[in-house]
Amino acid sequence: MQQNGNNLGEKAAASRRAFALPRLSARPPASPIVMKFGGTSVADAACLRHVAGIITGADADAPLIVVVSALDGVTDQLVACAADAARGQTASAARTLRALRARHDAVAAELLPPHVHRAYAAHAAALLAAAEALCRELAGSRSSPGASDEISGLGERLAAPLLASVIAAAGRRSQAIAATELISLNPEGEPNMAQSTARCRARLRPLLQRGVLPVVTGFICRRHDAAPATLGRGGSDYSATLIAACMHARETVIWTDVDGVHDADPRLVPTAQVLPALSYQDAALLARAGAKVLHPQCLEPARAAGIPVSIRNTFRPERPGTQVAAHALASRRPGAPEGPFALAARSHFALVAYRDPTGDAHARLQARAWPALANDAVAFRFLSREGILQVAVPDSQAAAVLAVWRWALRLPPGDPRLRLVPGVALVQAVGGPAGEDIHARAVAALRDAGVACLASAVAPAPEGVALAVFQPDLAVAMAALHRALLPPPAQHPPEALAAPAPAVGRGAEAVHHRIPASPLAGDNRREA
């Protein structure tokens, strides 16, 4: 299972350099805890009220910094809105913005005192009016750098002051902060850690010292030229770990809608169990293999700064979740035998396959095809014993890879030896010793479940075994592999070895954005 020309060791070393921070002899006693709440955690008024309860009820032995995503589904709507505007469909974009204004206004009306609701409604109206103007600029090809990112990141700028106001209404001083004041990118588009650290500490420390809880927008940041930017999909988790690294936090808690990192996707395998602890390396490996709970990028700042990352369920806060740290417990369930510790799956792939009776096609592809492909085009290279070379690629890149193979092998159009197999899903058994025994057990499990194994590969530990199946067979395949490779532990539930969950308790400079800053930047307390 060979990555397409990537030197993972060099990438890891470069990553360590990129996220290097000044060494401190010990973590300061007042180091904050960073809590990040995702879109499903703040989906509606009831969710926001619940989240405010978690925040205000948290034990007060450490200051808190909150990072919040847009309300559930809002970012997707805004990305579509920007795309509509770029196509000249300004009426559609305006309808999306009006619907978002109505949704946020309804939530605010339910949660906030009238005078705070009025202030928030005016703020939201100003944000959305500025966004509508940006949409018109996009349609007229007159937009400035970062216009699409500014529109896409609007959801967080609506959510942060809303949550800050709800927290203040519950009696905790809070203030919404745009992450464009905190996180800066370098000209290469990577976080500028030195500049971001200085900005975070200058902006957030005075608030924490006054007992004000910062509620920071996830996802958004600023480019090196101060234009708006975003951190990409999963960017709010990345925002949280970046801010935690800059503030030398004691922990980052990712609050989401699952109980932690499971040993398989619980939507596909109902018997999947929570892994109580993972190392940074194993968590990143699992994320790269397709697990959806964490993006591998967000772990880099945490690993570089040695800050644990916990994944916990907003809606079941009593559950301990999963902790990712440098010296975690073994990344497997108690009582489980030696072998893979988890399964991960990725959908929307295709196989490019070539029947190679002479055995010389691999050398030709190595010399001509691989250099011609983008670094991430090839997910896995599958080499079978049946004289067939197969490679799994994302659906979006399958036609391009097929064309490159045809060129590299000097095949005429329509040559039956080269074919495309669409509708494929990839399953990876992660961790443990990789070898023919695990591979044979995996293939046998698929066969016994009536699932066709289209291709497979054994990679060096800890990447494990990868298999390709047809997409409609994915759930059956995952369940069969889970039974065969991850049998239930003989005793003790996963929670038995988990670290105790933290108690939930009772009860700068101007950036040239044209979307206005929040007028709610203050303590946001009820009027006397």
Side-chain angles (χ1 to χ4, degrees):
M1 191 168 56
Q2 185 180 7
Q3 295 294 326
N4 185 29
N6 291 338
N7 186 321
L8 298 181
E10 289 181 4
K11 283 195 167 186
S15 175
R16 285 191 291 272
R17 291 192 295 271
F19 292 102
L21 290 168
R23 293 279 184 187
L24 297 184
S25 57
R27 202 172 300 282
S31 293
I33 292 172
V34 176
M35 289 187 173
K36 179 263 176 180
F37 293 89
T40 54
S41 296
V42 293
D44 55 28
C47 291
L48 281 160
R49 187 182 292 113
H50 179 66
V51 164
I54 291 175
I55 293 166
T56 58
D59 283 350
D61 62 338
L64 291 181
I65 299 170
V66 171
V67 176
V68 65
S69 297
L71 274 58
D72 192 30
V74 167
T75 299
D76 288 339
Q77 290 178 274
L78 288 167
V79 169
C81 174
D84 283 345
R87 291 190 295 266
Q89 299 172 2
T90 53
S92 175
R95 283 194 298 272
T96 298
L97 295 175
R98 286 196 297 272
L100 290 177
R101 179 177 178 178
R103 176 180 176 184
H104 287 80
D105 187 69
V107 171
E110 182 174 342
L111 293 174
L112 302 178
H115 69 282
V116 181
H117 171 220
R118 288 192 296 272
Y120 176 78
H123 169 60
L127 284 173
L128 291 161
E132 191 166 354
L134 284 175
C135 286
R136 289 193 295 271
E137 290 186 11
L138 278 174
S141 300
R142 294 176 286 104
S143 59
S144 59
S148 291
D149 278 344
E150 193 164 5
I151 294 169
S152 301
L154 179 63
E156 282 72 16
R157 300 192 70 184
L158 290 165
L162 179 56
L163 179 58
S165 298
V166 175
I167 293 167
R172 178 81 179 262
R173 299 172 68 196
S174 61
Q175 181 172 330
I177 305 290
T180 47
E181 299 181 48
L182 309 177
I183 300 174
S184 300
L185 305 181
N186 61 27
E188 290 73 41
E190 298 295 329
N192 183 327
M193 293 304 293
Q195 193 173 93
S196 298
T197 297
R199 290 179 180 279
C200 283
R201 294 179 181 179
R203 188 71 177 91
L204 300 180
R205 277 182 173 171
L207 295 177
L208 298 177
Q209 289 165 356
R210 299 202 309 269
V212 177
L213 187 150
V215 179
V216 182
T217 57
F219 185 50
I220 65 174
C221 58
R222 56 183 280 165
R223 298 190 334 185
H224 66 98
D225 59 0
T230 63
L231 293 170
R233 285 299 191 183
S236 291
D237 289 352
Y238 197 19
S239 301
T241 56
L242 284 169
I243 291 169
C246 292
M247 295 299 293
H248 207 56
R250 65 176 64 180
E251 182 183 18
T252 302
V253 185
I254 306 293
W255 291 93
T256 181
D257 58 355
V258 295
D259 287 342
V261 179
H262 289 75
D263 60 10
D265 187 338
R267 295 168 297 182
L268 298 173
V269 184
T271 56
Q273 297 189 39
V274 173
L275 295 164
L278 286 167
S279 67
Y280 295 123
Q281 177 184 359
D282 284 346
L285 182 65
L286 192 55
R288 287 196 299 271
K292 297 295 192 294
V293 176
L294 285 175
H295 193 285
Q297 180 177 245
C298 86
L299 292 171
E300 282 303 323
R303 185 208 54 75
I307 298 171
V309 178
S310 296
I311 300 92
R312 298 182 61 188
N313 193 333
T314 302
F315 307 104
R316 298 204 283 187
E318 73 282 358
R319 296 295 180 100
T322 300
Q323 186 175 82
V324 180
H327 302 292
L329 298 172
S331 299
R332 61 182 65 255
R333 296 172 300 172
E338 186 72 8
F341 67 83
L343 301 174
R346 284 183 284 180
S347 298
H348 308 298
F349 276 76
L351 286 177
V352 177
Y354 175 67
R355 186 169 294 279
D356 181 27
T358 64
D360 65 348
H362 186 270
R364 283 185 284 161
L365 291 172
Q366 187 77 28
R368 303 190 75 201
W370 306 143
L373 297 171
N375 283 340
D376 296 326
V378 178
F380 298 107
R381 297 175 188 175
F382 295 103
L383 304 179
S384 78
R385 297 190 179 98
E386 300 175 0
I388 299 176
L389 287 171
Q390 298 184 98
V391 62
V393 297
D395 282 342
S396 61
Q397 297 167 322
V401 173
L402 186 71
V404 169
W405 275 42
R406 182 177 292 115
W407 165 79
L409 296 169
R410 297 183 171 89
L411 300 177
D415 190 310
R417 291 174 295 175
L418 181 64
R419 64 193 183 99
L420 185 69
V421 182
V424 172
L426 302 180
V427 181
Q428 189 170 340
V430 179
E436 290 301 324
D437 174 60
I438 300 296
H439 177 259
R441 285 166 54 194
V443 172
L446 294 181
R447 182 185 62 244
D448 293 345
V451 174
C453 180
L454 305 175
S456 62
V458 179
E463 292 191 12
V465 174
L467 308 108
V469 300
F470 284 118
Q471 183 68 44
D473 294 333
L474 179 58
V476 175
M478 287 284 284
L481 292 168
H482 193 264
R483 288 192 299 270
L485 304 181
L486 302 171
Q491 58 184 353
H492 307 306
E495 290 81 0
L497 295 186
V504 174
R506 299 179 293 272
E509 64 188 287
V511 181
H512 66 195
H513 292 338
R514 281 157 298 152
I515 290 184
S518 170
L520 304 178
D523 292 347
N524 299 329
R525 288 171 285 184
R526 290 179 185 267
E527 290 179 349

